Amino acid sequence: MSQALQAVRGMNDILPDETPLWERFEDTVRAWLKSYGYRNIRMPLVEPTPLFRRAIGEATDIVEKEMYSFVDELNGEHLTLRPEGTASCVRAVVQHNLLYGGPQRLWYSGPMFRHERPQKGRYRQFHQIGVEALGLAGPDIDAEHLLMCARLWDDLGISGVRLHLNSLGSRAERHRHREALVAYLQEHRDALDEDSRRRLVTNPLRVLDSKNPAMQALIEGAPRMLDYLGDESAAHFEGVQAVLRGAGIPFRIDPRLVRGLDYYNLTVSEWVTDRLGAQGTVCGGGRYDGLVELVGGKPAPACGFAMGVERLVALMREAGVADAGEALDVYLVHQGAAADAFAFTVAERLRDHGFSVLHHAGPGGFKAQMKRADASGAAVAVIIGDDEAAAGEASVKALREERPQTRAPLDALPAALSDILYGERTD
Ligand code: ATP
Ligand code: MG
């Protein structure tokens, strides 16, 4: 036997025992997005590498070290497996002129790829739900996104997810803050770790994002972006907070919240939990008014957020949320040449009536098949021997309650099943 092949490290199979909870998550998310009027958009998993370099920024973790990039050997194109969805979404909106039709409220979902060190809650292929609103500038839309998230946590049945907020102001304000920050960091250059020294030159704001414990005191004392906001930016930020207060959604202003990507301005947000260990951020987002133009479109404001599906599903599991697992209605037991043929007719007829039917395949006598039926979780066994087949009938046995076995002609079978599945219980 040759050695068994394994999946790529950090890229997980999601097995049938786990998918019902994912489906519960997906069903909830779909209904939730619909209730806010967001429309689904689907982009390719692979994009030209320059899209991400330009949109996400050169001096970010993603572009510096996390992208799966390769050269298409057939035509020399530089391509990247998408590490996030916003850049692709904006590219699609610009490419197809969607903004000519007015503001767009969009969402997407699917796998993202980042070459990170795999650990609990951090994978190389993971899944996001992304939500973007393009063409809207006011704080009302930033607030809408935060209200949406608060509702989703409720809908999903999870609690204890806290909102952190900050404002990164305008480009000019960030520039002034940056100068003060660089001066401060240079003054404390000896205390900076290697990453931060490099970022001091390439992207000093990202020093604030450092997770190195040894740097935390230094970061605590750094100039705060909030102190550099002009009137307009401050009013925008206040507008967001006013809606949150009105809706009774608690939040904390976190001056160190800068987010990992370059394209943000004004409001930035993260939703954080203590229940997942080190990987506690389940959702992040904010405003990115410069990105549409950066990707080649006519300037247009935009904001959005993305959540990590693995982390949210883990929270649901931890909270004991029941999955969407729909039990099987019927296990179809059959034996004998005539019965085997008739079984197909019966199975298709039952599916016409909306029942789920698992048709026994392969060898096995009645006894072995009944064991399988029991293990399948089906509510009912429909049993066909050559006797039944000759009469155009089937026997019906309830598997999850005490009931006498009955026998019904094909036409009466759906009613007999409904009686067991939805009728009054006799026990
Ligand atoms: P982190 O600080 O955890 O690296 P990030 O700032 O890189 O997160 P974003 O780019 O904002 O993350 O992505 C949005 C969400 O996607 C995160 O809040 C998280 O829930 C999830 N996420 C990001 N990277 C991963 C990953 N490698 N594995 C699993 N989930 C992830
Ligand atoms: Mg990251």
Side-chain angles (χ1 to χ4, degrees), residues 295-310:
V295 168
K298 265 195 11 214
C303 72
F305 60 94
M307 52 193 143
V309 180
E310 281 79 2

PDB file of all heavy atoms in Angstrom, residues 295-310:
ATOM      1  N   VAL A 295      -8.503  51.122  -6.844  1.00  0.00           N
ATOM      2  CA  VAL A 295      -8.666  49.956  -7.711  1.00  0.00           C
ATOM      3  C   VAL A 295      -9.011  50.400  -9.137  1.00  0.00           C
ATOM      4  O   VAL A 295      -9.140  49.575 -10.039  1.00  0.00           O
ATOM      5  CB  VAL A 295      -9.731  49.006  -7.099  1.00  0.00           C
ATOM      6  CG1 VAL A 295     -10.187  47.932  -8.042  1.00  0.00           C
ATOM      7  CG2 VAL A 295      -9.180  48.369  -5.817  1.00  0.00           C
ATOM      8  N   GLY A 296      -9.166  51.718  -9.341  1.00  0.00           N
ATOM      9  CA  GLY A 296      -9.342  52.219 -10.704  1.00  0.00           C
ATOM     10  C   GLY A 296     -10.734  52.744 -11.013  1.00  0.00           C
ATOM     11  O   GLY A 296     -11.049  53.041 -12.163  1.00  0.00           O
ATOM     12  N   GLY A 297     -11.571  52.864  -9.989  1.00  0.00           N
ATOM     13  CA  GLY A 297     -12.917  53.388 -10.205  1.00  0.00           C
ATOM     14  C   GLY A 297     -12.997  54.875  -9.929  1.00  0.00           C
ATOM     15  O   GLY A 297     -12.019  55.492  -9.502  1.00  0.00           O
ATOM     16  N   LYS A 298     -14.175  55.447 -10.218  1.00  0.00           N
ATOM     17  CA  LYS A 298     -14.413  56.834  -9.829  1.00  0.00           C
ATOM     18  C   LYS A 298     -14.529  56.856  -8.319  1.00  0.00           C
ATOM     19  O   LYS A 298     -15.141  55.966  -7.738  1.00  0.00           O
ATOM     20  CB  LYS A 298     -15.731  57.335 -10.449  1.00  0.00           C
ATOM     21  CG  LYS A 298     -15.479  58.068 -11.744  1.00  0.00           C
ATOM     22  CD  LYS A 298     -16.636  58.907 -12.283  1.00  0.00           C
ATOM     23  CE  LYS A 298     -17.846  59.178 -11.445  1.00  0.00           C
ATOM     24  NZ  LYS A 298     -19.074  59.245 -12.261  1.00  0.00           N
ATOM     25  N   PRO A 299     -13.924  57.867  -7.642  1.00  0.00           N
ATOM     26  CA  PRO A 299     -13.938  57.860  -6.174  1.00  0.00           C
ATOM     27  C   PRO A 299     -15.345  57.627  -5.628  1.00  0.00           C
ATOM     28  O   PRO A 299     -16.298  58.227  -6.113  1.00  0.00           O
ATOM     29  CB  PRO A 299     -13.458  59.270  -5.809  1.00  0.00           C
ATOM     30  CG  PRO A 299     -12.729  59.764  -7.016  1.00  0.00           C
ATOM     31  CD  PRO A 299     -13.286  59.051  -8.206  1.00  0.00           C
ATOM     32  N   ALA A 300     -15.445  56.740  -4.653  1.00  0.00           N
ATOM     33  CA  ALA A 300     -16.739  56.481  -4.009  1.00  0.00           C
ATOM     34  C   ALA A 300     -16.470  55.979  -2.597  1.00  0.00           C
ATOM     35  O   ALA A 300     -15.550  55.191  -2.382  1.00  0.00           O
ATOM     36  CB  ALA A 300     -17.522  55.432  -4.788  1.00  0.00           C
ATOM     37  N   PRO A 301     -17.269  56.462  -1.633  1.00  0.00           N
ATOM     38  CA  PRO A 301     -17.082  55.999  -0.257  1.00  0.00           C
ATOM     39  C   PRO A 301     -17.548  54.552  -0.116  1.00  0.00           C
ATOM     40  O   PRO A 301     -18.328  54.065  -0.942  1.00  0.00           O
ATOM     41  CB  PRO A 301     -17.987  56.923   0.549  1.00  0.00           C
ATOM     42  CG  PRO A 301     -19.059  57.324  -0.416  1.00  0.00           C
ATOM     43  CD  PRO A 301     -18.408  57.374  -1.778  1.00  0.00           C
ATOM     44  N   ALA A 302     -17.076  53.881   0.918  1.00  0.00           N
ATOM     45  CA  ALA A 302     -17.470  52.490   1.132  1.00  0.00           C
ATOM     46  C   ALA A 302     -17.129  52.056   2.540  1.00  0.00           C
ATOM     47  O   ALA A 302     -16.207  52.603   3.155  1.00  0.00           O
ATOM     48  CB  ALA A 302     -16.755  51.580   0.141  1.00  0.00           C
ATOM     49  N   CYS A 303     -17.861  51.113   3.046  1.00  0.00           N
ATOM     50  CA  CYS A 303     -17.451  50.472   4.293  1.00  0.00           C
ATOM     51  C   CYS A 303     -17.993  49.056   4.346  1.00  0.00           C
ATOM     52  O   CYS A 303     -18.887  48.693   3.586  1.00  0.00           O
ATOM     53  CB  CYS A 303     -17.829  51.292   5.525  1.00  0.00           C
ATOM     54  SG  CYS A 303     -19.545  51.323   5.935  1.00  0.00           S
ATOM     55  N   GLY A 304     -17.400  48.267   5.232  1.00  0.00           N
ATOM     56  CA  GLY A 304     -17.797  46.859   5.285  1.00  0.00           C
ATOM     57  C   GLY A 304     -17.148  46.136   6.436  1.00  0.00           C
ATOM     58  O   GLY A 304     -16.448  46.733   7.258  1.00  0.00           O
ATOM     59  N   PHE A 305     -17.420  44.846   6.501  1.00  0.00           N
ATOM     60  CA  PHE A 305     -16.806  44.011   7.535  1.00  0.00           C
ATOM     61  C   PHE A 305     -16.750  42.565   7.071  1.00  0.00           C
ATOM     62  O   PHE A 305     -17.438  42.186   6.124  1.00  0.00           O
ATOM     63  CB  PHE A 305     -17.580  44.114   8.862  1.00  0.00           C
ATOM     64  CG  PHE A 305     -19.024  43.691   8.779  1.00  0.00           C
ATOM     65  CD1 PHE A 305     -19.400  42.393   9.094  1.00  0.00           C
ATOM     66  CD2 PHE A 305     -20.001  44.595   8.384  1.00  0.00           C
ATOM     67  CE1 PHE A 305     -20.734  41.995   9.028  1.00  0.00           C
ATOM     68  CE2 PHE A 305     -21.336  44.211   8.314  1.00  0.00           C
ATOM     69  CZ  PHE A 305     -21.702  42.911   8.627  1.00  0.00           C
ATOM     70  N   ALA A 306     -15.895  41.814   7.727  1.00  0.00           N
ATOM     71  CA  ALA A 306     -15.782  40.392   7.402  1.00  0.00           C
ATOM     72  C   ALA A 306     -15.696  39.600   8.695  1.00  0.00           C
ATOM     73  O   ALA A 306     -15.059  40.036   9.659  1.00  0.00           O
ATOM     74  CB  ALA A 306     -14.544  40.134   6.549  1.00  0.00           C
ATOM     75  N   MET A 307     -16.362  38.454   8.704  1.00  0.00           N
ATOM     76  CA  MET A 307     -16.282  37.628   9.916  1.00  0.00           C
ATOM     77  C   MET A 307     -15.686  36.275   9.603  1.00  0.00           C
ATOM     78  O   MET A 307     -15.771  35.779   8.483  1.00  0.00           O
ATOM     79  CB  MET A 307     -17.640  37.486  10.570  1.00  0.00           C
ATOM     80  CG  MET A 307     -18.720  37.030   9.643  1.00  0.00           C
ATOM     81  SD  MET A 307     -20.288  37.291  10.502  1.00  0.00           S
ATOM     82  CE  MET A 307     -21.315  37.787   9.163  1.00  0.00           C
ATOM     83  N   GLY A 308     -15.059  35.699  10.605  1.00  0.00           N
ATOM     84  CA  GLY A 308     -14.410  34.408  10.457  1.00  0.00           C
ATOM     85  C   GLY A 308     -15.388  33.286  10.813  1.00  0.00           C
ATOM     86  O   GLY A 308     -15.824  33.171  11.958  1.00  0.00           O
ATOM     87  N   VAL A 309     -15.731  32.480   9.812  1.00  0.00           N
ATOM     88  CA  VAL A 309     -16.766  31.469  10.020  1.00  0.00           C
ATOM     89  C   VAL A 309     -16.314  30.400  11.015  1.00  0.00           C
ATOM     90  O   VAL A 309     -17.076  30.018  11.908  1.00  0.00           O
ATOM     91  CB  VAL A 309     -17.189  30.835   8.678  1.00  0.00           C
ATOM     92  CG1 VAL A 309     -18.267  29.776   8.906  1.00  0.00           C
ATOM     93  CG2 VAL A 309     -17.684  31.908   7.713  1.00  0.00           C
ATOM     94  N   GLU A 310     -15.054  29.936  10.900  1.00  0.00           N
ATOM     95  CA  GLU A 310     -14.587  28.889  11.824  1.00  0.00           C
ATOM     96  C   GLU A 310     -14.734  29.349  13.278  1.00  0.00           C
ATOM     97  O   GLU A 310     -15.151  28.581  14.142  1.00  0.00           O
ATOM     98  CB  GLU A 310     -13.107  28.542  11.552  1.00  0.00           C
ATOM     99  CG  GLU A 310     -12.884  27.617  10.363  1.00  0.00           C
ATOM    100  CD  GLU A 310     -12.960  28.323   9.007  1.00  0.00           C
ATOM    101  OE1 GLU A 310     -13.156  29.559   9.006  1.00  0.00           O
ATOM    102  OE2 GLU A 310     -12.827  27.652   7.976  1.00  0.00           O
TER     103      GLU A 310
END
